[in-house]
């Protein structure tokens, strides 16, 4: 079994998939299955959960219960640098966590207390498979080495916050990746993260913060989901 955790732009895709419910020690998780691939909409169907209200532990554990051997997270983000401009997508290499959630399984309750290394946040083989799957579509515009800043949300960032993030090396900003990456790493589930930009971050757009049109976001999300399915089956 393979897993996908997706957010913005995924709702219409779910209509074509079989809905299943997975019970975990942290709550039930609604998943959507196609063959041996399961999709978890992190914000719930209809995008009803704010980033801080997502049950990250239940989502990660559901993937373990299902026996997922590899997982790809798909994240809509705001662009901080031109390395990943609006409309682009790329693979995240590293992240900074400003969310304050401090989620862990390794606290002596679910898993024994241990300090999990994060030198390699993401699985190299899975990253390579995603790049190859992208190339099979004829595209060569995928970005690599993206650094993702994770904030708490649901509010957007201030221009001063974005300037600070840019100064310390962040390329994009979002609200979910760090929480998922840490928990999946603790469960030893190989994981890769794909970011696609839907806006310039605060202070970088003359109009303030303007987003891509809904149709463009959905089209981009569908493209990435198709590539993701191909990569997981490699």
């Amino acid at each position: 079994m393979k897993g996908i955790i997706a957010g913005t732009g995924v709702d219409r895709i779910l209509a074509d998939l079989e809905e299943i419910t997975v019970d975990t020690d942290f709550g039930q998780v609604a998943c959507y299955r196609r063959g041996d691939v399961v999709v978890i909409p992190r914000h719930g169907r209809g995008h009803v959960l704010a980033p801080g209200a997502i049950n990250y532990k239940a989502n990660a554990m559901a993937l373990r219960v299902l026996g997922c051997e590899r997982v790809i997270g798909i994240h809509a983000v705001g662009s901080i640098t031109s390395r990943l401009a609006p409309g682009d997508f790329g693979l995240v290499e590293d992240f900074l966590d400003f969310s304050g959630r401090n989620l862990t399984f390794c606290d002596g309750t679910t898993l024994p207390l241990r300090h999990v290394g994060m030198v390699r946040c993401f699985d190299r083989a899975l990253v390579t498979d995603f790049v190859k799957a992208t190339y099979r579509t004829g595209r060569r515009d995928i970005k690599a080495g993206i650094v993702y800043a994770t904030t708490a949300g649901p509010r957007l960032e201030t221009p001063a916050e974005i300037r600070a993030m840019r100064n310390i090396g962040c390329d994009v900003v979002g609200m979910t990746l760090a929480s998922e990456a840490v928990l999946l790493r603790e469960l030893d589930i190989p994981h890769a993260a794909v970011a696609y930009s839907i806006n310039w971050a605060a202070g970088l757009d003359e109009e303030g913060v303007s987003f891509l049109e809904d149709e463009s976001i959905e089209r981009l999300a569908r493209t990435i989901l198709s590539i993701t399915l191909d990569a997981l089956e490699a």
Side-chain angles (χ1 to χ4, degrees):
M1 185 72 75
K2 298 101 172 177
I4 298 172
I5 309 176
T8 302
V10 76
D11 267 0
R12 292 189 186 180
I13 298 164
L14 303 179
D16 301 326
L17 307 181
E18 172 195 4
E19 183 175 357
I20 60 174
T21 300
V22 180
D23 292 312
T24 79
D25 291 340
F26 303 96
Q28 291 187 329
V29 179
C31 305
Y32 298 82
R33 183 172 180 173
R34 191 187 86 168
D36 66 346
V37 176
V38 64
V39 180
I40 295 178
R42 66 171 61 85
H43 295 283
R45 192 159 187 175
H47 205 98
V48 296
L49 297 174
I54 295 170
N55 193 338
Y56 294 97
K57 284 190 171 184
N59 288 349
M61 191 58 72
L63 294 169
R64 187 188 203 191
V65 168
L66 289 168
C68 289
E69 299 174 346
R70 41 187 10 211
V71 173
I72 294 180
I74 303 174
H75 302 265
V77 298
S79 296
I80 296 177
T81 71
S82 58
R83 294 194 64 209
L84 194 80
D88 289 345
F89 68 99
L91 287 151
V92 180
E93 181 176 286
D94 210 340
F95 64 85
L96 284 81
D97 188 3
F98 303 111
S99 71
R101 295 184 191 115
N102 297 320
L103 297 172
T104 183
F105 289 122
C106 298
D107 56 3
T109 54
T110 305
L111 295 175
L113 176 63
R114 65 185 178 117
H115 305 288
V116 176
M118 298 296 292
V119 174
R120 295 181 181 175
C121 307
F122 304 104
D123 185 74
R124 290 184 175 180
L126 192 47
V127 166
T128 297
D129 287 340
F130 189 91
V131 173
K132 290 179 178 178
T134 303
Y135 285 1
R136 284 194 290 272
T137 68
R139 300 185 65 145
R140 296 290 188 274
D141 57 346
I142 183 172
K143 313 296 182 178
I146 301 302
V147 178
Y148 180 123
T150 305
T151 59
R155 73 164 179 86
L156 297 177
E157 304 73 34
T158 69
E161 288 171 330
I162 294 301
R163 287 195 299 272
M165 291 175 194
R166 185 171 186 162
N167 287 339
I168 59 176
C170 299
D171 298 303
V172 300
V173 61
M175 303 171 187
T176 58
L177 181 141
S179 300
E180 293 175 1
V182 169
L183 294 173
L184 291 170
R185 180 74 183 86
E186 290 181 343
L187 294 176
D188 293 318
I189 300 176
H191 171 226
V194 181
Y196 67 101
S197 176
I198 61 174
N199 64 281
W200 284 108
L204 302 178
D205 189 322
E206 292 181 359
E207 298 179 13
V209 178
S210 56
F211 293 86
L212 298 178
E213 294 181 356
D214 289 345
E215 290 183 2
S216 297
I217 294 173
E218 184 182 336
R219 185 165 54 250
L220 187 54
R222 280 185 175 275
T223 296
I224 295 170
L225 182 62
S226 177
I227 294 170
T228 299
L229 289 167
D230 187 13
L232 286 171
E233 294 171 356

